[in-house]
Amino acid sequence: MRYLPKSPADREAILKAIGGRSIDDLFAPIPAEYRLNRDLKVPRQMAESEIVDWFRERSRENGDGYATFLGAGAYYHYRPVIIDSLISRGEFLTAYTPYQAEISQGTLQSIFEFQTMICELTGMEVANASMYDGSTAATEAVMMAVRLTGRRSVVVARNVHPEYREVLATYARHQGMPLTTAGYKDSGRVDLRELEESVNQNTACVLIQSPNFFGTIEDVGAVADIAHKNGAMLVVSIAEAVSLGIVEPPRQADVVAMEAQSFGVPLGFGGPYCGVIATREKYVRQMPGRLVGQTTDRNGKRGFVLTLATREQHIRREKATSNICTNQALVALMANIFMTIYGKVGLKELAKQNLAKTAYAAQQFGKHAQVLFAGTPRFNEFVVQTSEDPYAINSRTLGHKIVGGFPLKKFYPELGNAALWCCTETTTRAAIDTAVGLVAESERSVKSSVETGVEEVTR
Amino acid sequence: MKPAIRKATTHVNQNEGLIFEKSSAGKSAWRLPPLDVPEVDTSKLLGSAERKDLGHMPEVSEIEIIRHFTRLSTWNYAIDLGMYPLGSCTMKYNPRVNEVVSRLDGLANGHPYQPEKISQGALRILKTLSDCLIEITGMDAITLQPAAGAHGELTGLLLVRAHHQSKGHPRKKILIPDSAHGTNPATAATVGYAVENLKSDSRGMVDVAALAAQMNEDVAALMLTNPNTLGVFEQDIAKIADIMHAKGGLLYMDGANMNALVGKVRPGDFGVDVMHLNLHKTFSTPHGGGGPGSGPVAVKKILEPYLPTPVVITKPDGTLGFEYNRPQSVGRVRAFYGNFGMFVRALAYTLANGPDGLRQTTEDAVLNANYIRKGLEGAYDLPYSTPSMHEVVFSDKLQAKKGVKTMDIAKRLIDYGFHPYTTAFPLIVPGALMIEPTESESKEEMDLFIEAMRSIAEEVEEDPEMVLAAPHTTRVSRLDEVAAARKPVLRWKPS
């Protein structure tokens, strides 16, 4: 086996040194009746070239070469090449959690920079080293609010990512955290009146997403007022991080729970991604996850360490703020490098391109089908309502190597034949025009079949 | 006046500043292609939601970014540099082909919501890996959704709870040995269970009599790490499983130490009902400085109905798809399907090994731990003489007489060019040195490690002060963690 650095003679020598007669002696503590006396039924050992071929085949079967209009919590942005060249360095790739600070300063300083940039972008004062993803970050942020307020019930906007809400429901069920849902208005935004009616003295927090699942930007200030006047906290989830380049961050929030996948992390069929939690300094001791802090060594030199560990499971065990241990460090490093590359000016320009492509696409689609929530500011997603089932439309776009918008029927049946379309800087005008053309064709054929139908009836 | 001769403290590699300290207006590392659609008036589109300023985000050029992160990287120790014997962390070689195949276009750019018709490659990977892991663990079904070990524990206990709930009562508590990882009790609390401690016996194993006494109808499950954190296989595992099952409890296995078992014994065969795996330990996906991990949960038939949604199924036409309609499911634990990129890597590792390679790997891991044990016996105190599997735990009892603790020895080991072992864990061994070499160490590397450790033991006798002041060769000396926690500085601010 090519990964194993021992010759048969080495194994013999080691066995001799430890006074064993055979390898099986070493497994003697395992009761004999349980020992496996056969080969595992897994594929035979493959050569590296065979492994590459096998996965190339899988890659070809997996939508390779399609343009996509899918967003819905996972965004296709261009990834500058230096991200992979840097994170591929063995010193980053093959290091462990930086518990031994003296030989982990690279990881530690980069996380400190990551925390700083997340603070700058979200308008918060502290950010952690990462959570698993946006869904678990939102959930842990809500649990944090429950601890901080001593209240237990949670009001969630229905236009928060449906899968984020599912994860929250899974966690909340056994912690005595009743969830109430507030609907959305014709604007695509959360219904403030419903929110007003749902939030009360038992509410630990309100959870909204902005830009929300429909791509529209919430009036965070108005939601914050409702939460705060009832003594509840406001948790804002951000699924599309690139929006922070041009959309005002939710400064009125108490906790921001983010998915940083858009910052240079490949779509990768849904993971690994990078959740983050950011909040106010005064709440830091109830924060989950790892934190890096600045300190000095014995010679007064600046250095970085994992800090405030008394919140964490390895110290506090069942009283910890979360059970999280391994997080998403290398993915956070990708996001960190991405933020560094685009920086103060680039992030804004990048976000602007997203905005421009989306504005163009929404306008074009609007000529043939109904674009919902049209009057509300949005970032890079919009909902198109068609006469035909979007699944049927999408099966035709596939023929043009285009993946159409995300059909909303499953989560929002009341919207009928609606789909969530997303444009980023990578979306070409040509792809938009082709997709719009196919939607227009669909509308025409539905209309003409309706007309034919009417004619037939009259006849 | 002549300037005094000073040490070369301005060496660039050793004094890389923060990225913000290199920033100045007008530098850039990006360029966007020209827009192929009309420009937009952002303030008209966004109104008051428009962001005007991005604060102190950096402005630097590409070469500066390359140098910055490359310099930072050189301050890290890594498996690629040498032995990294952190106990229970399984710091094995991370094969490079894994990185290559996970970056193939169709896999790296696959959208989680793309139609199943054009997701057959990803689904095939999920299915093949699932089948392999089910066979390796001897279980009946699996979910790949959990994002890390602790997340797997959470999922596992949710399944346990759903099982008991279906019988009318979720039960109240989880039994956890005192040698367990902190994630175990933290997880139990998250799922709404009380934690009851289980004492280890003089061999470092579960005290079977104590377990029998503590087990009753209020106990939902026992969370057992096997081999446990002492690197000891729970020899009474059959009795343990029987005690649990007799009273309707379940046996949860923390698979953190699965690297000692693969291809030699299967948890499903010795009575485990539910377990998680750490793909970033046993299956070679990189630790990446603290993640991403991946924590699949394998279960016996009785727990299958409760698995998180969606699950991968084979459709009548032979293609693969996701099934969402599972009314008894505990629900989702994460958006989408889990850390897919880690599945690709873990499967590549499994294919590179095959059945013979997996078994040899386990044998080498156990061989190596025993070689380290033999080499350090005498120089360090061995609190439990029970046979070791893949890791061995010593204590600092002999060195503590000179005032030198496990952490001090660890810091001195850095000067010898090794990453330290795990310090002060498991908690049942005061001053623990927990060493897991993994299969990835050659005899030569282990000989160097043993020599270093023995040499440190001598230094403790001769010059404990020098050991207490270690490390002496690193870029920074010991850092003031107390000050860091007392007055936290968690972000850079412009001065």
Side-chain angles (χ1 to χ4, degrees):
Chain A
M1 206 288 124
R2 64 181 187 278
Y3 301 154
L4 299 175
K6 268 187 221 61
S7 66
D10 289 337
R11 291 193 179 99
E12 275 307 309
I14 292 177
L15 202 56
K16 208 172 142 199
I18 62 179
R21 274 163 308 156
S22 74
I23 284 284
D24 282 342
D25 284 358
L26 298 176
F27 292 85
I30 301 173
E33 65 266 38
Y34 299 128
R35 272 178 253 159
L36 195 66
N37 297 311
R38 60 163 176 88
D39 276 354
L40 285 167
K41 292 180 195 114
V42 298
R44 65 156 176 87
Q45 199 173 121
M46 285 188 187
E48 186 176 292
S49 58
E50 291 179 292
I51 294 170
V52 172
D53 285 346
W54 193 87
F55 282 101
R56 277 211 179 112
E57 199 57 44
R58 304 292 82 75
S59 169
R60 272 193 290 272
E61 296 163 356
N62 214 58
D64 196 359
Y66 284 74
T68 188
F69 285 94
L70 289 169
Y75 301 92
Y76 183 57
H77 292 287
Y78 179 72
R79 303 179 61 235
V81 296
I82 66 169
I83 294 175
D84 273 357
S85 39
L86 288 170
I87 69 146
S88 297
R89 286 190 65 91
E91 298 92 329
F92 286 130
L93 185 75
T94 75
Y96 188 67
T97 303
Y99 288 124
Q100 295 290 342
E102 297 88 346
I103 45 172
S104 307
Q105 285 298 302
T107 295
L108 287 161
Q109 180 168 326
S110 74
I111 294 173
F112 185 78
E113 293 174 0
F114 173 81
Q115 291 175 180
T116 303
M117 285 191 264
I118 294 291
C119 287
E120 287 295 329
L121 288 178
T122 56
M124 294 287 114
E125 292 163 350
V126 288
N128 70 5
S130 74
M131 305 298 290
Y132 304 136
D133 76 333
S135 70
T136 51
T139 300
E140 294 258 16
V142 166
M143 284 157 59
M144 185 179 154
V146 166
R147 289 192 297 273
L148 280 163
T149 56
R151 301 174 176 189
R152 301 213 71 88
S153 68
V154 179
V155 180
V156 187
R158 199 154 160 267
N159 54 13
V160 170
H161 195 300
E163 292 195 6
Y164 288 21
R165 286 186 282 128
E166 286 177 26
V167 174
L168 173 61
T170 305
Y171 275 70
R173 193 177 305 158
H174 304 301
Q175 301 191 52
M177 289 164 46
L179 302 180
T180 316
T181 309
Y184 55 87
K185 298 264 290 177
D186 291 345
S187 61
R189 286 174 166 170
V190 63
D191 186 334
L192 294 178
R193 224 186 50 208
E194 237 185 83
L195 211 55
E196 191 104 44
E197 283 160 12
S198 311
V199 179
N200 57 41
Q201 299 304 306
N202 301 319
T203 309
C205 69
V206 173
L207 171 66
I208 61 165
Q209 178 180 322
S210 186
N212 60 37
F213 192 67
F214 302 135
T216 55
I217 298 160
E218 294 287 353
D219 183 350
V220 179
V223 179
D225 286 345
I226 295 172
H228 291 158
K229 82 177 175 218
N230 286 285
M233 297 176 79
L234 174 62
V235 179
V236 178
S237 162
I238 300 172
E240 173 41 301
V242 167
S243 68
L244 288 168
I246 196 78
V247 176
E248 182 63 10
R251 295 181 204 275
Q252 306 91 332
D254 301 287
V255 191
V256 172
M258 202 168 118
E259 170 55 79
Q261 178 268 328
S262 282
F263 287 165
V265 183
L267 282 172
F269 206 62
Y273 289 174
C274 178
V276 198
I277 288 182
T279 186
R280 306 266 160 231
E281 222 164 83
K282 60 185 172 189
Y283 302 137
V284 70
R285 280 169 206 274
Q286 282 302 331
M287 229 181 169
R290 298 203 167 107
L291 287 164
V292 170
Q294 183 180 310
T295 187
T296 49
D297 76 353
R298 289 180 174 180
N299 307 314
K301 189 167 181 172
R302 178 169 72 185
F304 302 91
V305 290
L306 287 173
T307 192
L308 301 177
T310 49
R311 301 163 299 117
E312 292 188 67
Q313 47 76 26
H314 60 281
I315 310 280
R316 295 270 289 182
R317 299 178 78 87
E318 63 266 31
K319 295 190 178 66
T321 55
S322 164
N323 72 338
I324 194 168
C325 178
T326 288
N327 51 38
Q328 301 288 118
L330 196 71
V331 192
L333 179 60
M334 288 186 205
N336 186 4
I337 298 167
F338 182 96
M339 290 188 281
T340 309
I341 291 169
Y342 282 101
K344 188 180 170 77
V345 182
L347 270 180
K348 188 170 203 163
E349 292 304 317
L350 175 67
K352 260 191 196 169
Q353 281 212 352
N354 279 253
L355 211 56
K357 301 266 187 176
T358 307
Y360 172 76
Q363 188 196 30
Q364 296 301 310
F365 276 106
K367 290 177 183 168
H368 309 280
Q370 174 115 27
V371 174
L372 300 183
F373 321 127
T376 317
R378 65 167 83 90
F379 182 57
N380 64 2
E381 288 171 284
F382 55 97
V383 177
V384 180
Q385 209 172 40
T386 46
S387 306
E388 195 185 3
D389 186 337
Y391 285 102
I393 298 173
N394 285 353
S395 67
R396 285 197 294 278
T397 63
L398 286 185
H400 297 259
K401 286 254 163 188
I402 287 174
V403 182
F406 177 67
L408 292 173
K409 250 179 207 167
K410 184 173 145 196
F411 296 118
Y412 303 94
E414 71 277 15
L415 294 178
N417 288 330
L420 179 68
W421 292 72
C422 173
C423 295
T424 70
E425 78 285 359
T426 63
T427 315
T428 61
R429 181 179 191 146
I432 295 170
D433 292 344
T434 307
V436 168
L438 291 166
V439 166
E441 212 171 277
S442 150
E443 290 300 318
R444 274 197 302 275
S445 71
V446 171
K447 265 184 208 132
S448 73
S449 73
V450 168
E451 278 157 22
T452 324
V454 169
E455 257 170 55
E456 273 163 11
V457 170
T458 17
R459 224 185 300 156
Chain B
M1 221 168 79
K2 247 169 72 178
I5 295 168
R6 286 181 301 183
K7 271 175 78 179
T9 52
T10 49
H11 190 285
V12 283
N13 285 356
Q14 295 296 306
N15 291 283
E16 178 66 7
L18 289 161
I19 196 76
F20 311 102
E21 295 160 353
K22 295 169 183 294
S23 170
S24 59
K27 289 197 286 190
S28 74
W30 57 276
R31 178 174 180 86
L32 293 165
L35 257 185
D36 58 358
V37 297
E39 295 259 7
V40 286
D41 179 345
T42 49
S43 44
K44 216 174 107 193
L45 281 178
L46 296 176
S48 61
E50 187 194 4
R51 177 175 210 160
K52 303 281 188 217
D53 184 58
L54 269 67
H56 299 102
M57 291 297 284
E59 290 177 81
V60 287
S61 63
E62 187 169 314
I63 175 65
E64 290 171 289
I65 297 172
I66 288 284
R67 282 200 180 143
H68 177 67
F69 287 101
T70 303
R71 286 172 183 167
L72 291 188
S73 78
T74 65
W75 304 346
N76 272 2
Y77 193 82
I79 300 172
D80 284 3
L81 287 166
M83 186 164 160
Y84 210 127
L86 279 172
S88 271
C89 299
T90 315
M91 301 299 285
K92 63 169 66 183
Y93 170 57
N94 305 141
R96 290 317 197 262
V97 68
N98 298 0
E99 299 306 310
V100 170
V101 294
S102 66
R103 285 174 173 82
L104 292 170
D105 272 351
L107 304 179
N109 297 329
H111 192 285
Y113 287 149
Q114 70 192 21
E116 283 175 5
K117 194 178 150 191
I118 58 164
S119 300
Q120 291 299 308
L123 285 158
R124 179 62 56 197
I125 288 166
L126 295 174
K127 177 79 170 71
T128 310
L129 178 65
S130 296
D131 290 347
C132 288
L133 297 180
I134 286 170
E135 163 68 4
I136 287 167
T137 55
M139 307 296 277
D140 299 322
I142 197 164
T143 174
L144 303 178
Q145 204 175 89
H151 204 210
E153 292 173 27
L154 176 99
T155 309
L157 287 194
L158 286 169
L159 302 174
V160 167
R161 201 177 167 106
H163 164 79
H164 290 303
Q165 189 73 59
S166 77
K167 305 222 174 302
H169 174 41
R171 303 197 171 196
K172 291 183 186 144
K173 55 193 178 190
I174 302 287
L175 295 180
I176 298 178
D178 47 13
S179 58
H181 290 116
T183 51
N184 291 178
T187 301
T190 312
V191 186
Y193 280 123
V195 173
E196 192 170 300
N197 235 331
L198 195 59
K199 285 249 177 297
S200 304
D201 67 12
S202 60
R203 302 168 302 168
M205 297 189 221
V206 167
D207 185 327
V208 175
L211 173 66
Q214 280 174 263
M215 182 60 201
N216 57 44
E217 268 79 17
D218 278 342
V219 175
L222 164 67
M223 282 183 104
L224 189 68
T225 308
N226 192 24
N228 65 26
T229 56
L230 292 170
V232 171
F233 189 88
E234 296 282 354
Q235 292 177 24
D236 299 320
I237 189 68
K239 273 187 229 157
I240 293 170
D242 286 347
I243 291 170
M244 294 309 297
H245 294 150
K247 298 239 163 91
L250 296 179
L251 181 56
Y252 182 101
M253 189 177 115
D254 181 326
N257 294 338
M258 192 65 196
N259 209 41
L261 307 182
V262 176
K264 301 297 284 187
V265 58
R266 308 191 310 163
D269 294 338
F270 59 67
V272 169
D273 301 298
V274 44
M275 65 176 295
H276 78 262
L277 293 163
N278 300 75
L279 298 188
H280 48 296
K281 294 180 182 178
T282 317
F283 292 88
S284 84
T285 76
H287 279 81
S294 179
V297 173
V299 298
K300 288 282 174 60
K301 264 262 171 303
I302 47 160
L303 296 178
E304 191 179 4
Y306 312 116
L307 288 177
T309 50
V311 296
V312 177
I313 51 157
T314 308
K315 296 181 176 179
D317 67 356
T319 63
L320 298 170
F322 288 114
E323 187 182 65
Y324 289 87
N325 185 19
R326 295 175 66 89
Q328 291 181 279
S329 166
V330 295
R332 275 186 175 282
V333 294
R334 187 197 179 283
F336 312 121
Y337 323 112
N339 283 344
F340 176 79
M342 301 299 113
F343 310 155
V344 175
R345 291 169 173 87
L347 182 56
Y349 170 83
T350 307
L351 297 178
N353 274 284
D356 45 340
L358 290 174
R359 185 173 48 231
Q360 181 79 72
T361 294
T362 303
E363 291 175 356
D364 279 6
V366 174
L367 200 60
N368 280 1
N370 281 281
Y371 188 59
I372 300 279
R373 173 172 166 161
K374 188 75 184 174
L376 297 184
E377 254 175 333
Y380 294 89
D381 170 63
L382 187 69
Y384 292 92
S385 59
T386 323
S388 296
M389 296 290 290
H390 68 301
E391 66 191 358
V392 56
V393 177
F394 288 94
S395 93
D396 62 12
K397 197 169 158 191
L398 303 175
Q399 290 71 32
K401 291 177 193 151
K402 294 275 183 181
V404 176
K405 302 285 177 55
T406 174
M407 186 58 99
D408 305 311
I409 301 163
K411 296 297 186 196
R412 181 62 181 150
L413 193 54
I414 293 171
D415 288 332
Y416 283 86
F418 293 99
H419 193 281
Y421 45 79
T422 295
T423 57
F425 186 85
L427 305 177
I428 56 169
V429 175
L433 291 69
M434 187 195 206
I435 308 172
E436 180 184 7
T438 83
E439 72 279 6
S440 302
E441 299 313 325
S442 65
K443 184 169 177 295
E444 293 77 14
E445 186 87 5
M446 289 193 294
D447 285 336
L448 288 172
F449 177 80
I450 291 166
E451 195 183 296
M453 287 294 288
R454 297 197 77 95
S455 167
I456 295 169
E458 281 168 26
E459 287 171 352
V460 170
E461 295 303 317
E462 289 156 12
D463 188 2
E465 288 308 314
M466 188 272 293
V467 177
L468 287 169
H472 300 281
T473 55
T474 48
R475 183 185 155 266
V476 289
S477 61
R478 280 200 213 187
L479 291 151
D480 191 342
E481 296 190 12
V482 175
R486 194 182 300 134
K487 216 167 166 265
V489 178
L490 304 173
R491 57 154 298 174
W492 169 86
K493 277 180 188 155
S495 46

